[in-house]
């Protein structure tokens, strides 16, 4: 699969973002989280009205820098990320997900790089991510990119 690129999400991306994020959560955490916490995580993170509203925030909001999407050569959305700078100097990665069949092809790395660049533009010197579980399947990805544990589910790095 060829990655066409990473861009800022547009209004028409809300439904594909919601679906991709929900599928990624299900595939990553099935068996790690019980059914009710898994459903709660999906309903909180993937709510279509919330994602639509976040895409539509004109010029962003304090701490919120928006959604990014990765597309394949056919224009199909294969990855998403959301980021912000909620505290001066501290970037936050709110979401990063890649379609299960497209993983390990550089899409997550491209999304993380775009999110990092976006937070650096707002003077972030550090980047943080909160993971749903301590034994998160994404830990190798974050460790390989310089993140270190700040707590059982909180990771960070200098940018």
């Amino acid at each position: 699969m060829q990655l066409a690129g990473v861009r800022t999400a547009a209004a028409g991306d809300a439904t594909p973002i919601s679906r991709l994020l929900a599928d990624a959560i299900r595939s990553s955490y099935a068996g790690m989280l019980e059914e009710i916490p898994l459903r709660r995580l999906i309903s909180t993170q993937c709510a279509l009205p919330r994602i639509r509203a976040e895409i539509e925030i004109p010029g962003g909001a304090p701490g919120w820098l928006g959604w990014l999407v990765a597309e394949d050569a056919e224009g199909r959305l294969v990855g998403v990320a959301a980021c912000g700078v909620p505290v001066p100097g501290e970037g936050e990665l709110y979401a990063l997900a890649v379609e299960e069949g497209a993983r390990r092809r550089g899409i997550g790395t491209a999304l993380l790089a775009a999110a990092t660049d976006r937070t650096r533009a707002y003077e972030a010197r550090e980047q943080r991510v909160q993971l749903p579980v301590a034994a998160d399947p994404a830990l190798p990805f974050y460790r390989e990119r310089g993140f270190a544990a700040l707590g059982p589910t909180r990771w960070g790095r200098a940018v």
Side-chain angles (χ1 to χ4, degrees):
M1 170 191 312
Q2 187 75 9
L3 178 64
V6 174
R7 63 172 173 79
T8 300
D13 295 321
T15 298
I17 288 170
S18 176
R19 285 184 186 144
L20 188 147
L21 196 53
D23 290 345
I25 290 170
R26 268 189 218 96
S27 69
S28 295
Y29 300 108
M32 295 186 87
L33 291 173
E34 304 228 358
E35 187 62 27
I36 291 174
L38 182 63
R39 285 184 187 186
R40 188 175 301 126
L41 181 62
I42 291 169
S43 69
T44 302
Q45 298 299 315
C46 309
L48 190 54
R50 175 184 152 197
I51 292 170
R52 279 191 185 123
E54 290 170 345
I55 290 171
E56 297 293 325
I57 295 172
W64 173 250
L65 299 179
W67 284 96
L68 298 163
V69 296
E71 295 176 316
D72 66 11
E74 289 79 42
R76 191 173 58 87
L77 197 140
V78 292
V80 299
C83 63
V85 181
V87 176
E90 191 174 300
E92 185 77 23
L93 188 63
Y94 297 119
L96 177 64
V98 175
E99 186 178 79
E100 190 172 13
R103 293 179 184 162
R104 300 196 182 282
R105 296 184 180 155
I107 296 165
T109 300
L111 285 161
L112 179 60
T116 302
D117 289 346
R118 188 169 275 196
T119 58
R120 276 189 192 131
Y122 285 83
E123 301 179 5
R125 295 174 306 283
E126 297 177 14
Q127 188 172 44
R128 308 268 192 254
V129 63
Q130 179 79 35
L131 302 173
V133 295
D136 201 286
L139 282 179
F141 173 84
Y142 289 111
R143 281 189 189 120
E144 289 168 12
R145 283 146 191 89
F147 284 80
L150 302 173
T153 59
R154 189 99 170 119
W155 291 73
R157 69 176 181 171
V159 293

